[in-house]
């Protein structure tokens, strides 16, 4: 009986504690919410020469100065600020800005600033204002935001556990006292007193809040964090703080409308200059053999007249028979000429013969011997293959012991500094002025127009261009795109190709630098202009700052 009484009392105690803390699965203590990051108090100013951003961070006034047109950082300058507390000289910082500590950074109010910038021969005065709200002053610094968030969460958990500990501790003490009274004393009155003590301990926990109206205690604490973070704003523009712009190396240029020559795109491939290249071929078939030192490797520079290989022509059976017959005939003629010379020498000594006859016999003998030596040499000596021009070995098919046919190409020699492009035009071009080419990886090549053919090849006319710049990054047979400008002109705004960004919906956009730390996307329509630029015909007005470097990085901000 006593054991069942203790179990029932424990159950009543646990139920009272649980009812005092929650009901119907409701969690009355949600964790603290961390608010979105907001930018530090800041102000902007711009002139024809400079653009600056002033901000307060950790009790320090920080000013970033850039060139207005190009957004290039200005790091070598003298900066003075007229503040409500007097004139303040700013010192250069490691991040490229200028800063100095200020005492009024902790006072919530509006601060009007007059900033004087002296950079070289340019002196400019800009005005701006900083609105320091009370919450910005009370907010923790950026460098300690993570630690402050952890502290706020710890305080919230502690505040939530204090009522729970206050309820459990008395209930636990009452339960222990009741159990001791019940077990130690057997009298009925004492057991009743112990049971009553356990019930009082269970009911001593704080009562639950009324469910009507859902009064779940104090509001959820909100932890605010201050910081300069790049983010995409609800209106579609992108906020990029000046320190982030320095890291991303954002550069801009002023847009201007002008007249430009119309440009056509032509597919082309790289070919060698016919006046600076050549083939090495064999005049007769035979077996190829390497010269002393081996065959030249690909990319080896050779000079005109260098021996690159040898070709030993094979001799057929009938050829060998004819050669042996000629050798025998020459050997007999040489023997007869030698005996005739001996007879003429004897006659010349005795006076019966003349010296002229002896000299003629000696000349005849020398001729026969030369013919015999030439026949032997023709049988043994192979044909040398020499370089027709100076250049580098662009292609080689030479293998020791290989049998080649007559007119087979063994080596191709090309001058890498003299390459051409052969483009195909499917329309009659009235006249070609300047031309450039663009490779698949975006490299630009300078071209010089050489001429166009009159014969149609695959319904197209061949147009030749000489590569004047960038020939070291292309190879023979590589396909490129030629951008040839014609004599007729069109109007538009020229911008670099690096400014174009492909949006998620497939449209082409650019970014306009609308203010010091805000960039606006613009959809544009364009046509190619040359290897490095395009011509915007719609979506952009003159006199706006267009991002020319770092547009893809800005587009990644979310």
């Amino acid at each position: 009986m006593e054991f069942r009484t203790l179990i029932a009392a424990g159950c009543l105690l646990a139920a009272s504690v649980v009812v005092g803390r929650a009901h119907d699965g409701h969690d009355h203590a949600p964790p603290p919410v961390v608010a979105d990051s907001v930018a530090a108090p800041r102000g902007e100013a711009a002139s024809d020469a400079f653009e600056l951003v002033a901000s307060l961070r950790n009790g320090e006034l920080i000013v970033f100065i850039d060139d207005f047109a190009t957004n290039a950082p200005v790091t070598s300058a003298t900066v003075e600020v007229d503040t409500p507390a007097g004139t303040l000289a700013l010192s250069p910082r490691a991040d490229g800005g200028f800063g100095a500590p200020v005492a009024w950074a902790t006072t919530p109010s509006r601060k009007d600033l007059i900033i004087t910038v002296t950079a070289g021969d340019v002196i400019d005065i800009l005005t701006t204002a900083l609105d320091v709200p009370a919450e910005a002053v009370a907010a923790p610094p950026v460098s300690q935001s993570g630690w402050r968030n952890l502290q706020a969460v710890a305080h919230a958990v502690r505040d939530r556990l204090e009522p729970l500990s206050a309820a459990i501790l008395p209930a636990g003490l009452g339960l222990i006292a009741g159990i001791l009274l019940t077990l130690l004393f057997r009298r009925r009155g004492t057991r009743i007193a112990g049971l009553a003590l356990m019930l009082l301990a269970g009911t001593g926990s704080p009562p639950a809040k009324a469910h009507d109206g859902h009064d779940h205690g104090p509001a959820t604490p909100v932890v605010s964090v201050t910081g300069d973070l790049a983010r995409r704003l609800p209106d579609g523009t992108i906020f990029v703080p000046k320190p982030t712009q320095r890291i991303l190396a954002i550069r801009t240029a002023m847009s201007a409308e002008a007249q430009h020559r119309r440009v056509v795109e032509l597919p082309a491939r790289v070919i060698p200059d016919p006046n600076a290249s050549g083939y090495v071929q064999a005049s007769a078939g035979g077996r190829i053999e390497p010269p002393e030192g081996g065959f030249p490797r690909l990319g080896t520079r050779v000079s005109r007249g260098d021996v690159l290989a040898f070709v030993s022509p094979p001799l057929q059976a009938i050829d060998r028979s004819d050669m042996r017959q000629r050798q025998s005939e020459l050997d007999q003629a040489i023997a007869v000429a030698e005996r005739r010379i001996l007879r003429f020498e004897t006659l010349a000594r005795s006076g019966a013969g003349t010296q002229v006859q002896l000299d003629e016999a000696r000349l005849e003998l020398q001729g026969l011997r030369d013919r015999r030596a030439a026949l032997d040499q023709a049988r043994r000596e192979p044909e040398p293959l020499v370089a027709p021009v100076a250049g580098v070995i662009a292609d080689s098919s030479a293998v020791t012991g290989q049998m080649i046919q007559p007119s087979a190409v063994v080596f191709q020699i090309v001058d890498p500094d003299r390459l051409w492009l052969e483009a195909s035009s499917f329309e009659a071009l009235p006249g070609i002025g300047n031309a450039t080419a663009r490779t698949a990886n975006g490299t630009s090549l300078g071209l010089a127009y050489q001429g166009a053919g009159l014969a149609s090849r695959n319904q197209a006319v061949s147009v030749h261009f000489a590569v004047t710049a960038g020939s070291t990054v292309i190879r023979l047979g590589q396909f490129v795109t030629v951008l040839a400008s014609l004599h007729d002109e069109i109007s538009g705004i020229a911008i670099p190709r690096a400014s174009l960004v492909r949006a998620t919906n497939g449209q082409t956009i650019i970014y306009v630098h609308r203010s010091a730390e805000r960039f606006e996307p613009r959809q544009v329509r364009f046509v190619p202009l040359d290897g490095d630029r395009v011509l915007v015909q719609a979506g952009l007005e003159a006199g706006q700052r267009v991002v020319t470097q770092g547009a893809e990085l800005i587009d990644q901000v979310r």
Side-chain angles (χ1 to χ4, degrees):
M1 180 64 183
E2 292 80 359
F3 182 71
R4 289 195 298 270
T5 303
L6 289 176
I7 294 177
C11 292
L12 289 175
L13 174 61
S16 63
V17 173
V18 172
V19 171
R21 302 318 310 161
H23 56 86
D24 295 338
H26 285 270
D27 185 5
H28 298 274
V33 179
V34 180
D36 293 337
S37 299
V38 296
R42 63 208 315 110
E44 300 179 0
S47 64
D48 294 338
F50 303 114
E51 181 180 58
L52 62 83
V53 173
S55 62
L56 288 176
R57 189 182 300 113
N58 299 334
E60 184 179 8
L61 175 64
I62 302 175
V63 176
F64 289 95
I65 305 173
D66 293 334
D67 182 80
F68 180 79
T70 64
N71 201 50
V74 177
T75 57
S76 299
T78 301
V79 183
E80 294 183 353
V81 182
D82 292 334
T83 68
T87 303
L88 183 65
L90 304 186
S91 302
R93 292 165 47 93
D95 55 3
F98 302 86
V102 290
W104 43 265
T106 58
T107 305
S109 63
R110 178 183 177 86
K111 278 75 175 179
D112 294 324
L113 306 178
I114 302 176
I115 303 175
T116 303
V117 181
T118 303
D121 299 335
V122 181
I123 301 177
D124 206 347
I125 299 177
L126 302 96
T127 61
T128 185
L130 297 178
D131 292 325
V132 185
E135 57 270 17
V137 175
V142 177
S143 60
Q144 299 178 357
S145 58
W147 173 246
R148 299 297 186 186
N149 292 342
L150 293 177
Q151 285 184 332
V153 173
H155 290 322
V157 174
R158 184 194 61 188
D159 296 339
R160 189 57 187 156
L161 290 179
E162 281 182 352
L164 183 62
S165 61
I168 294 178
L169 184 59
L173 294 177
L175 177 62
I176 294 174
I179 293 174
L180 292 177
L181 291 176
T182 305
L183 295 178
L184 295 178
F185 301 95
R186 299 294 183 178
R187 295 170 55 182
R188 180 179 179 84
T190 306
R191 290 198 301 268
I192 294 176
L195 180 60
L197 183 59
M198 286 187 289
L199 293 177
L200 289 177
T203 58
S205 60
K209 299 287 183 177
H211 188 274
D212 296 336
H214 294 275
D215 183 10
H216 292 172
T220 302
V222 178
V223 181
S224 63
V225 181
T226 61
D228 295 340
L229 301 177
R231 57 189 179 275
R232 193 176 294 268
L233 302 179
D235 60 354
T237 60
I238 298 178
F239 172 76
V240 183
K242 278 297 180 183
T244 306
Q245 294 183 33
R246 303 291 179 89
I247 297 175
L248 301 181
I250 306 299
R251 297 294 181 267
T252 61
M254 299 296 295
S255 59
E257 188 168 358
Q259 295 290 328
H260 302 272
R261 289 187 174 182
R262 186 170 67 91
V263 176
V264 294
E265 288 189 358
L266 304 176
R269 65 183 182 91
V270 181
I271 62 174
D273 185 349
N275 297 319
S277 62
Y279 292 117
V280 178
Q281 298 174 292
S283 59
R287 189 179 304 278
I288 190 169
E289 297 176 359
E292 184 178 358
F295 296 117
R297 297 184 299 272
L298 292 176
T300 303
R301 183 170 291 275
V302 296
S303 301
R304 182 176 182 178
D306 290 348
V307 177
L308 307 180
F310 293 98
V311 176
S312 299
L315 296 177
Q316 302 294 332
I318 186 171
D319 295 334
R320 290 195 295 268
S321 176
D322 293 341
M323 188 173 294
R324 284 196 297 267
Q325 183 178 356
R326 282 188 204 173
Q327 288 175 346
S328 299
E329 293 175 354
L330 290 174
D331 291 339
Q332 292 176 2
I334 290 172
V336 172
E338 289 176 348
R339 286 194 296 270
R340 186 182 304 169
I341 289 174
L342 293 175
R343 186 172 61 252
F344 285 155
E345 287 177 351
T346 303
L347 294 176
R349 284 194 299 268
S350 62
T354 63
Q355 185 67 30
V356 175
Q357 292 176 337
L358 178 61
D359 294 340
E360 289 178 353
R362 289 176 178 175
L363 291 175
E364 183 180 0
L365 178 61
Q366 184 63 35
L368 292 173
R369 288 176 177 175
D370 292 342
R371 290 174 59 187
R372 181 67 172 80
L375 188 62
D376 292 341
Q377 185 177 5
R379 186 176 180 179
R380 296 191 309 268
E381 185 175 348
E383 176 190 2
L385 301 182
V386 298
V389 294
V392 299
I393 303 298
D395 189 17
S396 174
S397 60
V399 179
T400 303
Q402 177 186 3
M403 295 295 296
I404 61 174
Q405 299 298 324
S407 70
V409 177
V410 182
F411 298 97
Q412 183 180 12
I413 302 175
V414 175
D415 188 349
D417 298 328
R418 298 176 61 180
L419 298 178
W420 281 20
L421 296 182
E422 185 178 42
S424 299
S425 175
F426 296 91
E427 61 176 338
L429 303 179
I432 297 178
N434 297 330
T436 58
R438 187 178 70 254
T439 62
N441 58 3
T443 304
S444 181
L445 308 174
L447 302 179
Y449 175 69
Q450 298 297 316
L454 297 178
S456 177
R457 182 187 303 173
N458 296 328
Q459 305 299 322
V461 176
S462 297
V463 185
H464 284 174
F465 299 90
V467 180
T468 58
S471 60
T472 57
V473 299
I474 56 177
R475 64 184 185 277
L476 294 181
Q478 180 178 352
F479 289 95
V480 298
T481 301
V482 173
L483 303 172
S485 60
L486 307 180
H487 293 312
D488 51 336
E489 295 183 345
I490 56 177
S491 178
I493 300 175
I495 63 173
R497 290 181 177 268
S499 299
L500 302 178
V501 177
R502 183 72 65 179
T504 55
N505 57 1
Q507 295 180 339
T508 302
I509 63 174
I510 64 173
Y511 281 95
V512 175
H513 197 184
R514 200 169 74 178
S515 63
E517 297 180 317
R518 185 167 296 189
F519 298 86
E520 178 183 359
R522 296 280 187 89
Q523 297 181 5
V524 295
R525 176 168 54 86
F526 67 94
V527 294
L529 183 58
D530 53 37
D532 298 324
R533 300 179 300 169
V534 297
L535 195 66
V536 178
Q537 295 181 319
L540 179 64
E541 299 80 20
Q544 295 184 338
R545 293 181 293 173
V546 180
V547 177
T548 59
Q549 179 178 320
E552 293 184 355
L553 301 178
I554 295 177
D555 190 62
Q556 298 300 321
V557 177
R558 295 294 181 264

